[in-house]
mmCIF file of all heavy atoms in Angstrom:
data_model
loop_
_atom_site.group_PDB
_atom_site.id
_atom_site.type_symbol
_atom_site.label_atom_id
_atom_site.label_comp_id
_atom_site.label_asym_id
_atom_site.label_seq_id
_atom_site.Cartn_x
_atom_site.Cartn_y
_atom_site.Cartn_z
ATOM 1 N N THR A 1367 103.948 98.462 111.821
ATOM 2 C CA THR A 1367 104.780 99.299 112.678
ATOM 3 C C THR A 1367 104.852 98.753 114.104
ATOM 4 O O THR A 1367 105.910 98.774 114.740
ATOM 5 C CB THR A 1367 104.216 100.735 112.712
ATOM 6 O OG1 THR A 1367 104.160 101.236 111.377
ATOM 7 C CG2 THR A 1367 105.085 101.642 113.557
ATOM 8 N N LEU A 1368 103.729 98.253 114.621
ATOM 9 C CA LEU A 1368 103.672 97.848 116.024
ATOM 10 C C LEU A 1368 103.525 96.346 116.223
ATOM 11 O O LEU A 1368 103.520 95.896 117.368
ATOM 12 C CB LEU A 1368 102.503 98.557 116.713
ATOM 13 C CG LEU A 1368 102.588 100.074 116.813
ATOM 14 C CD1 LEU A 1368 101.360 100.628 117.517
ATOM 15 C CD2 LEU A 1368 103.854 100.485 117.558
ATOM 16 N N VAL A 1371 106.428 94.775 118.155
ATOM 17 C CA VAL A 1371 106.453 95.280 119.529
ATOM 18 C C VAL A 1371 105.358 94.613 120.359
ATOM 19 O O VAL A 1371 105.580 94.210 121.517
ATOM 20 C CB VAL A 1371 106.285 96.814 119.553
ATOM 21 C CG1 VAL A 1371 106.161 97.318 120.989
ATOM 22 C CG2 VAL A 1371 107.458 97.490 118.847
ATOM 23 N N PRO A 1489 102.251 104.305 109.232
ATOM 24 C CA PRO A 1489 102.951 104.268 110.518
ATOM 25 C C PRO A 1489 102.668 105.483 111.397
ATOM 26 O O PRO A 1489 102.633 105.376 112.623
ATOM 27 C CB PRO A 1489 104.426 104.210 110.094
ATOM 28 C CG PRO A 1489 104.403 103.577 108.751
ATOM 29 C CD PRO A 1489 103.159 104.106 108.090
ATOM 30 N N THR A 1624 114.136 96.595 113.457
ATOM 31 C CA THR A 1624 114.422 97.985 113.805
ATOM 32 C C THR A 1624 113.451 98.543 114.852
ATOM 33 O O THR A 1624 113.891 99.212 115.798
ATOM 34 C CB THR A 1624 114.430 98.860 112.541
ATOM 35 O OG1 THR A 1624 115.491 98.434 111.684
ATOM 36 C CG2 THR A 1624 114.646 100.332 112.900
ATOM 37 N N PRO A 1625 112.135 98.321 114.760
ATOM 38 C CA PRO A 1625 111.253 98.816 115.829
ATOM 39 C C PRO A 1625 111.615 98.263 117.201
ATOM 40 O O PRO A 1625 111.582 98.981 118.202
ATOM 41 C CB PRO A 1625 109.862 98.344 115.381
ATOM 42 C CG PRO A 1625 109.963 98.225 113.902
ATOM 43 C CD PRO A 1625 111.349 97.729 113.649
ATOM 44 N N ILE A 1626 111.983 96.975 117.265
ATOM 45 C CA ILE A 1626 112.378 96.382 118.540
ATOM 46 C C ILE A 1626 113.671 97.019 119.039
ATOM 47 O O ILE A 1626 113.820 97.334 120.228
ATOM 48 C CB ILE A 1626 112.552 94.853 118.388
ATOM 49 C CG1 ILE A 1626 111.210 94.209 118.049
ATOM 50 C CG2 ILE A 1626 113.142 94.240 119.650
ATOM 51 C CD1 ILE A 1626 111.296 92.724 117.769
ATOM 52 N N HIS A 1627 114.625 97.224 118.131
ATOM 53 C CA HIS A 1627 115.903 97.844 118.486
ATOM 54 C C HIS A 1627 115.683 99.256 119.029
ATOM 55 O O HIS A 1627 116.242 99.626 120.070
ATOM 56 C CB HIS A 1627 116.797 97.882 117.246
ATOM 57 C CG HIS A 1627 118.076 98.630 117.433
ATOM 58 N ND1 HIS A 1627 119.104 98.172 118.224
ATOM 59 C CD2 HIS A 1627 118.488 99.829 116.929
ATOM 60 C CE1 HIS A 1627 120.107 99.041 118.206
ATOM 61 N NE2 HIS A 1627 119.749 100.053 117.425
ATOM 62 N N LEU A 1628 114.857 100.032 118.348
ATOM 63 C CA LEU A 1628 114.598 101.398 118.801
ATOM 64 C C LEU A 1628 113.800 101.403 120.101
ATOM 65 O O LEU A 1628 114.061 102.217 121.000
ATOM 66 C CB LEU A 1628 113.854 102.165 117.708
ATOM 67 C CG LEU A 1628 114.637 102.431 116.412
ATOM 68 C CD1 LEU A 1628 113.736 103.110 115.378
ATOM 69 C CD2 LEU A 1628 115.876 103.280 116.679
ATOM 70 N N ASP A 1629 112.823 100.525 120.209
ATOM 71 C CA ASP A 1629 112.028 100.441 121.434
ATOM 72 C C ASP A 1629 112.899 100.045 122.625
ATOM 73 O O ASP A 1629 112.732 100.564 123.738
ATOM 74 C CB ASP A 1629 110.897 99.432 121.244
ATOM 75 C CG ASP A 1629 110.000 99.321 122.474
ATOM 76 O OD1 ASP A 1629 109.320 100.320 122.793
ATOM 77 O OD2 ASP A 1629 109.984 98.247 123.098
ATOM 78 N N HIS A 1630 113.848 99.161 122.395
ATOM 79 C CA HIS A 1630 114.754 98.716 123.461
ATOM 80 C C HIS A 1630 115.598 99.875 123.990
ATOM 81 O O HIS A 1630 115.962 99.906 125.170
ATOM 82 C CB HIS A 1630 115.657 97.605 122.930
ATOM 83 C CG HIS A 1630 116.601 97.053 123.956
ATOM 84 N ND1 HIS A 1630 116.186 96.255 124.995
ATOM 85 C CD2 HIS A 1630 117.947 97.200 124.102
ATOM 86 C CE1 HIS A 1630 117.241 95.922 125.746
ATOM 87 N NE2 HIS A 1630 118.313 96.475 125.218
ATOM 88 N N GLY A 1632 114.557 102.945 124.113
ATOM 89 C CA GLY A 1632 113.710 103.985 124.671
ATOM 90 C C GLY A 1632 113.067 104.929 123.677
ATOM 91 O O GLY A 1632 112.519 105.967 124.093
ATOM 92 N N ALA A 1633 113.080 104.613 122.404
ATOM 93 C CA ALA A 1633 112.455 105.494 121.420
ATOM 94 C C ALA A 1633 110.940 105.456 121.570
ATOM 95 O O ALA A 1633 110.352 104.402 121.828
ATOM 96 C CB ALA A 1633 112.851 105.084 120.003
ATOM 97 N N ALA A 1634 110.302 106.610 121.419
ATOM 98 C CA ALA A 1634 108.847 106.688 121.516
ATOM 99 C C ALA A 1634 108.199 106.063 120.286
ATOM 100 O O ALA A 1634 108.821 105.927 119.224
ATOM 101 C CB ALA A 1634 108.408 108.144 121.648
ATOM 102 N N ILE A 1635 106.920 105.690 120.438
ATOM 103 C CA ILE A 1635 106.187 105.109 119.317
ATOM 104 C C ILE A 1635 106.171 106.070 118.129
ATOM 105 O O ILE A 1635 106.292 105.653 116.970
ATOM 106 C CB ILE A 1635 104.750 104.758 119.746
ATOM 107 C CG1 ILE A 1635 104.774 103.558 120.705
ATOM 108 C CG2 ILE A 1635 103.880 104.433 118.536
ATOM 109 C CD1 ILE A 1635 103.408 103.148 121.200
ATOM 110 N N SER A 1636 106.031 107.361 118.401
ATOM 111 C CA SER A 1636 106.005 108.349 117.318
ATOM 112 C C SER A 1636 107.324 108.377 116.561
ATOM 113 O O SER A 1636 107.349 108.547 115.342
ATOM 114 C CB SER A 1636 105.685 109.740 117.881
ATOM 115 O OG SER A 1636 106.645 110.128 118.850
ATOM 116 N N VAL A 1637 108.445 108.196 117.272
ATOM 117 C CA VAL A 1637 109.761 108.175 116.625
ATOM 118 C C VAL A 1637 109.889 106.919 115.772
ATOM 119 O O VAL A 1637 110.363 106.971 114.619
ATOM 120 C CB VAL A 1637 110.890 108.239 117.672
ATOM 121 C CG1 VAL A 1637 112.251 108.025 117.015
ATOM 122 C CG2 VAL A 1637 110.860 109.572 118.401
ATOM 123 N N ILE A 1638 109.485 105.783 116.317
ATOM 124 C CA ILE A 1638 109.536 104.533 115.547
ATOM 125 C C ILE A 1638 108.684 104.656 114.288
ATOM 126 O O ILE A 1638 109.091 104.246 113.195
ATOM 127 C CB ILE A 1638 109.046 103.351 116.413
ATOM 128 C CG1 ILE A 1638 109.981 103.147 117.600
ATOM 129 C CG2 ILE A 1638 108.955 102.076 115.578
ATOM 130 C CD1 ILE A 1638 109.496 102.095 118.592
ATOM 131 N N GLY A 1639 107.494 105.240 114.439
ATOM 132 C CA GLY A 1639 106.625 105.427 113.284
ATOM 133 C C GLY A 1639 107.247 106.303 112.220
ATOM 134 O O GLY A 1639 107.140 106.021 111.024
ATOM 135 N N MET A 1640 107.928 107.366 112.633
ATOM 136 C CA MET A 1640 108.571 108.250 111.662
ATOM 137 C C MET A 1640 109.698 107.550 110.921
ATOM 138 O O MET A 1640 109.857 107.692 109.698
ATOM 139 C CB MET A 1640 109.110 109.497 112.375
ATOM 140 C CG MET A 1640 109.772 110.506 111.441
ATOM 141 S SD MET A 1640 108.641 111.108 110.159
ATOM 142 C CE MET A 1640 107.502 112.086 111.154
ATOM 143 N N VAL A 1641 110.503 106.762 111.644
ATOM 144 C CA VAL A 1641 111.597 106.027 111.004
ATOM 145 C C VAL A 1641 111.054 105.055 109.960
ATOM 146 O O VAL A 1641 111.564 104.986 108.827
ATOM 147 C CB VAL A 1641 112.437 105.275 112.060
ATOM 148 C CG1 VAL A 1641 113.450 104.347 111.378
ATOM 149 C CG2 VAL A 1641 113.173 106.269 112.961
ATOM 150 N N ILE A 1642 110.017 104.316 110.316
ATOM 151 C CA ILE A 1642 109.442 103.354 109.376
ATOM 152 C C ILE A 1642 108.792 104.077 108.193
ATOM 153 O O ILE A 1642 108.857 103.611 107.047
ATOM 154 C CB ILE A 1642 108.438 102.440 110.086
ATOM 155 C CG1 ILE A 1642 109.141 101.621 111.175
ATOM 156 C CG2 ILE A 1642 107.751 101.510 109.102
ATOM 157 C CD1 ILE A 1642 110.240 100.718 110.654
ATOM 158 N N SER A 1643 108.178 105.220 108.450
ATOM 159 C CA SER A 1643 107.576 105.995 107.364
ATOM 160 C C SER A 1643 108.623 106.421 106.344
ATOM 161 O O SER A 1643 108.421 106.304 105.132
ATOM 162 C CB SER A 1643 106.877 107.236 107.919
ATOM 163 O OG SER A 1643 105.736 106.894 108.639
ATOM 164 N N VAL A 1691 119.516 107.547 116.348
ATOM 165 C CA VAL A 1691 118.286 107.471 115.557
ATOM 166 C C VAL A 1691 118.465 108.084 114.171
ATOM 167 O O VAL A 1691 117.999 107.507 113.182
ATOM 168 C CB VAL A 1691 117.117 108.128 116.304
ATOM 169 C CG1 VAL A 1691 115.873 108.213 115.410
ATOM 170 C CG2 VAL A 1691 116.782 107.348 117.566
#
Side-chain angles (χ1 to χ4, degrees):
T1367 303
L1368 296 180
V1371 174
T1624 296
I1626 295 175
H1627 173 70
L1628 293 176
D1629 182 66
H1630 182 72
I1635 289 179
S1636 59
V1637 172
I1638 296 174
M1640 181 59 69
V1641 172
I1642 298 299
S1643 290
V1691 173

